[in-house]
Amino acid sequence: MGCRLDQADSPLELRNAVGLYIVVDLLFAVAAAAAAHFAVRLTSMHARKLAEGPYTTLATTTDRVGTF
């Protein structure tokens, strides 16, 4: 059974190949959304660190655990 569109010989193989391409495209979209989410989180953490400065106290850092 072929999984590529150019190798599909029957309607069933064509359907399976199209289904595979749809799944792959959805996985790429999910990966892109996860990468964007990671970039936004990383940027916000970096901005917060810049705003706090290099000499933050332990009380300041423990107050914010889990809020970023």
Side-chain angles (χ1 to χ4, degrees):
M1 178 167 73
C3 288
R4 291 181 43 180
L5 287 174
D6 58 349
Q7 295 176 345
D9 293 330
S10 69
L12 180 61
E13 288 180 355
L14 184 62
R15 180 176 177 242
N16 289 337
V18 169
L20 181 64
Y21 277 107
I22 289 172
V23 169
V24 169
D25 285 343
L26 287 175
L27 286 175
F28 275 126
V30 168
H37 177 71
F38 174 77
V40 168
R41 292 273 311 256
L42 187 63
T43 302
S44 68
M45 286 189 285
H46 181 69
R48 189 185 76 218
K49 179 68 178 172
L50 284 174
E52 289 176 355
Y55 304 111
T56 58
T57 63
L58 184 60
T60 305
T61 56
T62 56
D63 292 341
R64 296 180 186 230
V65 172
T67 59
F68 50 98

